[in-house]
């Protein structure tokens, strides 16, 4: 788009604020290197670090072994290109854009340079120099003469793709716009694959934006999205067979911090399939690249949920034994502080380690090739790439048709797969097709207030498709959407549930062997599937049912008609409340159904492949409670269907993302309970004194303790609590009533029966069978507790929850909807009422594929 002279220090680029650029300049202090005879005369390797424990040789033998391996591999590699920038101390994916609560809080570093070091002369050439900007992700073209990289010029906030010649000439900007473009790689078909925030969605469990896989032409034109992931895709790179290898993070029905492993797709986005790891929880597999002349890839295994800037162990992986064999991955580096590996051979690798460029053998012996000069300041060396030519990968013919809004799925036999025991042939009649919906903004690392220890995501019920008698299914589905399926029996109850997502490209036909079939298995030699003998089915919407269930609007009225007569504050059969009264974050009915284990969701736990009828409508006790056998409950067919679909859609509390970060007393932001925390309210202070005097004697240890405030989580894990923990049944979400404060359990339990209470608590020094903590409603401490609950009600009526008249979402929700073009730029969320349900739907409509929007 723009050709810039590399000989000039420019004052502006493309109308942006000033930034300094120094191209083709030799740094006065070239960095640190030590002579090493036998490889080069003037550049060499520092003293060896300790070999890994797996090396069965003494240090001298290990050093000699790595020298022999490294020497021949580096000959012919005279120059290495790398990026320099400061480190932003955040999650491995949170290194571009801004934080949701405050758009002025940026997520990127500075000190940007694109550099090239000559390993023979130790000469450092600075190709791009911008101290206030940032440079990242250089990738050399197959011809070894061009570099595509991500660049955020100083004075600007957005990374875009740029290109420069390896000699420092021809700098030009390729992409532009309001969204970050990072991690580019050249493709053999002449295009560039990269990841970008153009997907217009936010991390489901954090305050930062998502980058999904995109591609563009060599000149930056014809940008097209390839991945429908709701979470991060990272570090796409071509494999020798022409596929793209990349990291995909997901947590459909599973833990949000355990599944970020390797996947592949074709260069047109078709054929998305797991490459390695998705069946096993743990670690981030990222920055994967093929080894030359071998069948392995080298990658970073970043422990746990991943470290800053992708730091971890340099590891190798062979996928010969399939995608699930954990023994196929082998750590090479002795410690977990390496980044950005590059395979020089199948045995020798470049990598970055803080401010240094290192080389290591597959036996774990590491030597330093180059260290940044001190004058560069507090910056790290990133993404080293040797200047070399490499063979172009084959081009896989495109399997998509951009003119079509749908693709097709062909399922060979749903009864073939893992953990299908007990399912009889013919038992599965339909597939329920659901869509995981992107988040337009987010504010915390938890799922609140979308669910309690459950889903982070709203899911839309698209409808059902038939399964033939032989277990086959063939159907059309919307292109470029995050979909998953639930197998249903003759009563439309869930039998087996998919715990990953799939996406089909426009015009693509994607096939699978069976339901949760092992990725390495082949279809059995059976007759031609029945479903393949007819035209593809179209998804049939479910009549008389909400497609995005909302608990207060869709489920609570059913409970009011059928359940509340027995489960209310005055009767409370089984100790269960099913009224719609507001607690500090959820309604009492919603919280009770979760904690009394009436919902079987399986979310946020690091496991896969539950037995049949374990999750959703097939595993939830609530479905049994809604049968006539349970005290002659009589639901209409529509009511029963509504509850069933709510369970299969993840059992959310709100049906709108506008509820995020709002409507809670004691809400969370960035994992801190700083939103409407009542700990300093005068009413809360007085109530805490009353609890200390009248309640703490009995409720004194960890398991019997009661909340001291409306915000007191009482030591419970919000993400994945132990559902057997007795504190759950007296947590803040159930003991405080902010709709009818005098009906709060914290008041009724210690109040005498003849005063209208439950009389469950009595003074510790009272004779057995006599007395209550509060004999009358006039007790001063009773009134102090009541005043705290009334203060909570007043504050909730001011800030309002999504199901309350006059609700307005957080201004950041409005900010992003304006940014996406869903709301006009003149929209004032403080003055103009907003239909948040309609606004969400307009936002989701942005992702409907059509040729006009996606040429």
């Amino acid at each position: 788009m723009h050709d810039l002279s590399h000989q000039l220090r420019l004052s502006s680029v493309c109308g942006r604020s000033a930034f300094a650029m120094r191209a083709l300049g030799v740094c006065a202090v070239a960095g640190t290197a030590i002579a090493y005879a036998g490889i080069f005369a003037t550049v060499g390797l520092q003293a060896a670090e300790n070999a890994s424990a797996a090396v069965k040789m003494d240090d001298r033998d290990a050093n000699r072994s790595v020298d022999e391996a490294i020497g021949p591999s580096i000959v012919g590699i005279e120059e290495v290109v790398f990026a320099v920038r400061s480190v932003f101390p955040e999650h491995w994916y949170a290194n571009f854009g801004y934080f949701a609560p405050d758009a002025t809080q940026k997520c990127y570093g500075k000190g940007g340079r694109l550099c090239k070091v000559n390993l023979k002369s130790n000469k450092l050439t600075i190709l791009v120099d911008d101290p206030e900007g940032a440079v990242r992700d250089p990738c050399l073209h197959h011809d070894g003469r061009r570099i595509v990289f991500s660049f955020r010029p100083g004075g600007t906030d957005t990374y875009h793709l740029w290109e420069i010649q390896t000699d420092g000439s021809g700098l030009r900007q390729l992409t532009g716009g309001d969204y970050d473009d990072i991690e580019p790689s050249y493709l053999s078909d002449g295009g560039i694959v990269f990841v970008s925030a153009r997907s217009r969605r936010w991390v489901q469990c954090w305050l930062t934006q998502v980058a999904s896989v995109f591609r563009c032409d060599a000149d930056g034109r014809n940008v097209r999205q390839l991945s429908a992931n709701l979470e991060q895709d990272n570090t796409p790179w071509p494999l020798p067979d022409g596929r793209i290898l990349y990291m995909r993070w997901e947590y459909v029905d599973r833990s949000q911090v355990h599944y970020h492993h390797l996947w592949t797709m074709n260069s047109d986005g078709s054929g998305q399939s797991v490459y390695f790891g998705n069946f096993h929880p743990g670690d981030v597999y990222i920055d994967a690249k093929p080894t030359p002349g071998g069948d392995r890839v080298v990658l970073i295994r970043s422990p746990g949920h991943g470290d800053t800037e992708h730091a971890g162990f340099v590891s190798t992986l062979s996928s010969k034994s399939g995608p699930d064999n954990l023994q196929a991955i082998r750590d090479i580096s002795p410690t977990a502080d390496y980044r950005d590996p590059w395979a020089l051979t199948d045995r020798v690798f470049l990598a970055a380690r803080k401010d240094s460029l290192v080389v290591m053998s597959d036996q774990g012996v590491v030597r330093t090739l180059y260290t940044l000069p001190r004058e560069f300041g507090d910056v790290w060396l990133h993404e080293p790439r040797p200047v070399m030519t490499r063979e172009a990968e084959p081009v896989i013919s495109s399997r998509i048709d951009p003119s079509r809004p749908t693709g097709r799925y062909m399922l060979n036999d749903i009864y073939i797969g893992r953990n299908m025991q007990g399912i009889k042939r013919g038992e599965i009649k339909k597939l329920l097709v659901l869509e995981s919906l992107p988040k337009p903004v987010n504010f915390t690392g938890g799922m609140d207030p979308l669910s309690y220890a459950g889903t982070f995501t709203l899911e839309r019920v698209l409808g059902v498709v038939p399964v033939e008698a032989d277990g086959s299914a063939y159907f059309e589905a919307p292109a470029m959407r995050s979909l998953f399926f639930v197998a249903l029996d003759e009563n439309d109850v869930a039998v087996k549930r998919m715990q990953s997502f799939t996406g089909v490209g426009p015009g693509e036909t994607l096939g699978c062997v069976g339901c949760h079939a092992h990725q390495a298995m082949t279809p059995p030699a059976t007759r031609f599937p029945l479903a393949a003998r007819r035209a593809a089915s179209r998804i049939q919407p479910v009549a008389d049912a909400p497609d995005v269930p909302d608990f207060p609007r869709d489920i609570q009225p059913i409970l009011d008609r059928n359940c509340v007569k027995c489960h209310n504050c005055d009767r409370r059969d089984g100790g269960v409340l099913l009224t719609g009264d507001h607690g500090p974050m959820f309604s009492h009915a919603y919280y009770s159904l979760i904690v009394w284990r009436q919902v079987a969701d399986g979310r946020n736990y690091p496991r896969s492949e539950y037995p049949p009828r374990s999750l959703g409508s097939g595993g939830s006790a609530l479905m049994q409670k809604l049968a006539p056998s349970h005290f002659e409950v009589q639901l209409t067919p529509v009511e029963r269907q509504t509850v069933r679909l709510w369970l299969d859609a993840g059992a959310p509390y709100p049906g709108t993302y506008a509820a995020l970060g709002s409507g809670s007393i004691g809400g969370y932001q960035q994992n801190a309970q700083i939103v409407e925390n009542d700990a300093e309210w005068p009413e809360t202070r007085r109530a805490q004194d009353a609890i200390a005097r009248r309640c703490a004697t009995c409720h004194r240890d960890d398991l019997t303790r009661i909340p001291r405030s409306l915000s007191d989580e009482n030591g419970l894990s919000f993400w994945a609590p132990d559902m057997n923990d007795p504190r759950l049944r007296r947590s803040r979400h159930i003991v405080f009533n902010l709709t009818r404060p005098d009906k709060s359990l914290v008041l009724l339990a210690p109040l005498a029966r003849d005063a209208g209470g439950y009389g469950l608590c009595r003074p510790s020094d009272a004779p057995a069978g006599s007395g209550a903590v509060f004999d009358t409603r006039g007790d001063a401490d009773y009134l102090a507790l009541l005043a705290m609950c009334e203060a909570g009600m007043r504050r909730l009526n001011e800030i309002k929850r999504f199901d309350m008249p006059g609700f307005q979402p957080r201004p950041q929700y409005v900010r992003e909807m304006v940014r996406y073009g869903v709301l006009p730029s003149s929209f004032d969320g403080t003055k103009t009422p907003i239909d948040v349900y309609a606004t969400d739907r307009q936002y989701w409509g942005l992702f409907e594929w059509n040729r006009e929007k996606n040429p």
Side-chain angles (χ1 to χ4, degrees):
M1 296 172 66
H2 302 282
D3 289 313
L4 304 178
S5 171
H6 68 283
Q7 297 175 334
L8 300 178
R9 188 178 294 270
L10 302 177
S11 60
S12 65
V13 175
C14 310
R16 292 186 176 92
S17 301
F19 75 96
M21 177 171 293
R22 179 175 61 199
L24 206 57
V26 178
C27 183
V29 180
T32 302
I34 297 177
Y36 173 48
I39 295 182
F40 302 124
T42 58
V43 67
L45 309 177
Q46 289 184 346
E49 300 182 25
N50 292 333
S52 70
V55 179
K56 300 207 174 3
M57 57 182 77
D58 62 27
D59 287 344
R60 183 176 302 175
D61 288 338
N63 294 345
R64 183 165 57 249
S65 175
V66 75
D67 291 348
E68 292 172 355
I70 291 173
S73 67
I74 294 184
V75 172
I77 306 298
E78 295 189 4
E79 297 178 316
V80 176
V81 168
F82 55 84
V84 175
R85 63 184 178 275
S86 61
V87 175
F88 186 73
E90 246 284 347
H91 289 306
W92 50 273
Y93 54 85
N95 49 25
F96 63 90
Y98 52 84
F99 281 97
D102 182 0
T104 66
Q105 187 181 1
K106 309 301 182 183
C107 300
Y108 49 70
K110 296 183 179 181
R113 293 179 176 91
L114 180 64
C115 299
K116 180 177 64 174
V117 64
N118 187 295
L119 298 180
K120 283 187 174 180
S121 66
N122 198 32
K123 176 182 176 182
L124 182 70
T125 301
I126 302 178
L127 305 177
V128 175
D129 187 9
D130 189 354
E132 293 302 311
V135 174
R136 55 178 295 171
D137 315 316
C139 171
L140 276 84
H141 192 269
H142 302 88
D143 62 16
R145 296 195 297 267
R146 286 178 283 164
I147 307 167
V148 64
F149 63 102
S150 302
F151 181 31
R152 181 192 61 79
T156 70
D157 295 322
T158 308
Y159 283 101
H160 290 305
L161 304 188
W162 294 63
E163 189 176 61
I164 194 171
Q165 301 294 310
T166 53
D167 65 1
S169 63
L171 180 67
R172 62 173 183 153
Q173 183 176 351
L174 301 181
T175 61
D178 296 332
Y179 300 98
D180 290 272
D181 303 322
I182 59 173
E183 298 178 350
S185 296
Y186 286 110
L187 296 173
S188 293
D189 62 12
I192 298 170
V193 64
F194 60 102
V195 299
S196 176
R198 298 168 188 264
S199 53
R200 294 166 293 188
R201 56 199 65 182
W202 288 68
V203 174
Q204 299 172 77
C205 59
W206 203 233
L207 297 75
T208 52
Q209 297 167 67
V210 163
S212 306
V213 179
F214 281 73
R215 65 163 295 151
C216 65
D217 294 344
D219 60 2
R221 300 180 187 275
N222 295 323
V223 174
R224 183 167 72 81
Q225 189 169 352
L226 302 185
S227 167
N229 195 357
L230 269 60
E231 279 299 349
Q232 296 286 137
D233 299 317
N234 283 101
T235 60
W237 200 271
L239 286 169
D241 62 8
R243 292 178 299 162
I244 296 169
L245 180 66
Y246 66 103
M247 189 227 71
R248 171 169 131 174
W249 177 20
E250 62 169 56
Y251 41 98
V252 177
D253 283 352
R254 299 186 293 180
S255 163
Q256 85 274 26
V257 294
H258 285 89
Y259 295 90
H260 8 52
H261 300 121
L262 296 179
W263 287 69
T264 60
M265 66 169 66
N266 298 328
S267 59
D268 63 354
S270 65
Q272 296 182 21
S273 180
V274 62
Y275 184 81
F276 189 84
N278 192 54
F279 188 70
H280 297 288
D283 301 336
V284 176
Y285 298 167
I286 200 164
D287 288 301
K289 299 174 184 64
T291 62
D295 61 356
R296 297 190 298 169
V297 298
V298 63
L299 68 142
I300 290 294
R301 183 182 68 81
S302 195
H305 188 38
D307 205 350
T308 299
E309 292 289 347
H310 308 181
F313 291 97
V314 175
S315 305
T316 58
L317 164 67
S318 172
S319 61
K320 278 185 175 181
S321 57
D324 300 332
N325 180 14
L326 290 180
Q327 294 181 350
I329 190 166
R330 174 176 173 264
D331 292 342
I332 293 174
S333 62
T335 55
D337 56 349
Y338 293 87
R339 294 168 289 108
D340 311 314
W342 179 279
L344 294 171
T345 73
D346 199 38
R347 297 182 57 201
V348 180
F349 312 92
L350 291 178
R353 190 186 190 195
K354 295 186 179 178
D355 61 349
S356 295
L357 169 64
V358 304
V359 63
M360 68 179 66
S361 77
D362 62 352
Q363 296 300 310
V365 180
V366 183
R367 296 181 183 273
T368 300
L369 285 173
Y370 181 81
T371 299
L372 294 175
R374 294 181 180 178
E375 286 78 0
F376 276 21
D378 187 17
V379 292
W380 281 10
L381 185 150
H382 303 264
E383 299 106 20
R385 313 283 191 247
V387 179
M388 58 181 289
T389 61
R390 54 190 175 91
E391 185 177 353
E393 299 81 17
V395 176
I396 300 174
S397 298
S398 180
R399 302 178 183 178
I400 68 165
D401 178 357
S403 67
R404 296 186 57 178
T406 63
R408 296 176 179 180
Y409 287 96
M410 179 65 219
L411 170 62
N412 188 69
D413 187 347
I414 199 169
Y415 299 102
I416 297 175
R418 310 185 220 210
N419 212 351
M420 300 289 286
Q421 296 85 354
I423 302 178
K424 299 178 181 178
R425 285 200 166 268
E427 187 173 350
I428 297 173
K429 304 298 185 182
K430 303 174 186 175
L431 284 180
L432 178 67
V433 183
L434 298 110
E435 176 185 5
S436 290
L437 296 166
K439 271 184 177 176
V441 72
N442 201 35
F443 300 101
T444 189
M447 63 289 291
D448 57 296
L450 210 61
S451 71
Y452 186 84
T455 182
F456 287 79
T457 311
L458 293 178
E459 292 163 356
R460 176 159 51 191
V461 177
L462 298 184
V464 295
V465 296
V467 174
E468 303 295 337
D470 65 347
S472 62
Y474 181 39
F475 59 96
E476 289 192 30
M480 292 302 299
R481 310 267 275 279
S482 177
L483 307 177
F484 67 101
F485 314 129
V486 179
L488 304 179
D489 65 14
E490 62 183 355
N491 297 314
D492 290 339
V493 174
V495 177
K496 188 75 172 176
R497 184 181 181 91
M498 188 172 172
Q499 291 187 276
S500 185
F501 80 89
T502 179
V504 66
E508 179 187 10
T509 298
L510 192 62
C512 55
V513 176
C515 181
H516 301 261
H518 193 291
Q519 292 290 325
M521 75 182 301
T522 56
T526 59
R527 63 181 182 175
F528 200 62
L530 293 176
R533 305 180 190 186
R534 56 168 172 76
S537 302
R538 294 193 174 184
I539 299 172
Q540 296 300 313
V542 180
D544 300 319
D547 60 345
V548 182
D550 179 280
F551 188 87
R553 293 198 309 179
D554 301 317
I555 305 302
Q556 189 61 52
I558 298 174
L559 301 179
D560 289 343
R561 286 191 293 270
N562 295 278
C563 309
V564 168
K565 60 184 178 183
C566 297
H567 300 289
N568 57 67
C569 295
D570 297 322
R571 184 166 175 177
R572 209 168 68 99
D573 284 7
V576 176
L577 289 177
L578 293 180
T579 62
D581 293 350
H582 288 134
M585 186 177 290
F586 306 99
S587 73
H588 285 171
Y590 180 82
Y591 181 79
S592 295
L593 290 177
I594 303 301
V595 169
W596 268 258
R597 305 174 81 165
Q598 300 303 297
V599 174
D601 188 57
R603 309 270 177 137
N604 212 33
Y605 293 95
R607 61 172 297 184
S608 301
E609 291 304 330
Y610 287 76
R613 301 187 184 277
S614 295
L615 301 177
S617 60
S620 296
L622 178 60
M623 293 302 297
Q624 307 304 319
K625 299 291 195 306
L626 299 181
S629 58
H630 183 72
F631 296 97
E632 300 181 352
V633 170
Q634 294 291 334
L635 267 69
T636 68
V638 169
E639 288 177 331
R640 185 174 179 82
Q641 172 181 266
T642 300
V643 174
R644 174 179 59 78
L645 290 174
W646 172 71
L647 292 168
D648 286 333
Y653 178 40
T656 170
Y657 283 133
L660 297 170
S662 64
S664 299
I665 306 298
Y668 287 83
Q669 181 169 296
Q670 200 166 344
N671 288 348
Q673 200 179 42
I674 59 176
V675 181
E676 302 297 338
N677 192 320
D678 69 315
E680 300 302 320
W681 294 0
E683 295 90 349
T684 299
R685 290 291 188 89
R686 289 191 288 271
Q688 288 174 332
D689 291 341
I691 291 172
R693 284 193 300 271
R694 310 295 290 277
C695 308
T697 302
C698 295
H699 297 283
R700 60 182 179 273
D701 60 49
D702 288 343
L703 292 182
T704 63
R705 189 178 182 274
I706 62 171
R708 266 59 170 176
S709 72
L710 306 177
S711 305
D712 183 5
E713 291 285 21
N714 211 17
L716 291 165
S717 167
F718 186 79
W719 283 4
D722 177 1
M723 287 299 176
N724 294 312
D725 193 319
R727 290 173 294 177
L728 285 171
R729 299 194 177 192
R730 53 175 178 276
S731 84
R732 71 187 185 104
H733 300 295
I734 197 67
V735 301
F736 300 122
N737 190 321
L738 305 189
T739 300
R740 297 178 290 169
D742 63 322
K743 296 296 185 180
S744 295
L745 297 185
V746 74
L747 294 170
L748 295 176
L751 183 64
R753 288 180 179 274
D754 58 8
Y758 300 157
L760 298 177
C761 301
R762 60 185 180 83
S764 57
D765 56 354
S770 64
V773 173
F774 301 134
D775 291 326
T776 70
R777 295 177 183 265
D779 187 293
D781 288 332
Y782 172 94
L783 294 174
L785 289 173
L786 175 62
M788 178 177 65
C789 298
E790 290 174 334
M793 178 185 68
R794 289 193 299 271
R795 184 57 182 155
L796 183 58
N797 286 334
E798 292 172 1
I799 62 174
K800 299 188 184 302
R801 193 166 293 175
F802 69 94
D803 60 336
M804 299 170 69
F807 168 73
Q808 292 287 93
R810 284 184 64 162
Q812 295 89 347
Y813 172 90
V814 173
R815 179 196 68 205
E816 294 303 309
M817 289 301 190
V818 170
R819 183 187 185 204
Y820 305 143
V822 172
L823 295 174
S825 58
S826 60
F827 188 86
D828 186 343
T830 64
K831 299 178 181 178
T832 306
I834 179 173
D835 183 339
V836 294
Y837 295 94
T839 303
D840 273 5
R841 289 182 180 276
Q842 287 180 266
Y843 164 69
W844 297 325
L846 298 175
F847 310 112
E848 294 178 2
W849 183 271
N850 61 64
R851 187 167 188 170
E852 289 70 31
K853 290 194 297 185
N854 305 279

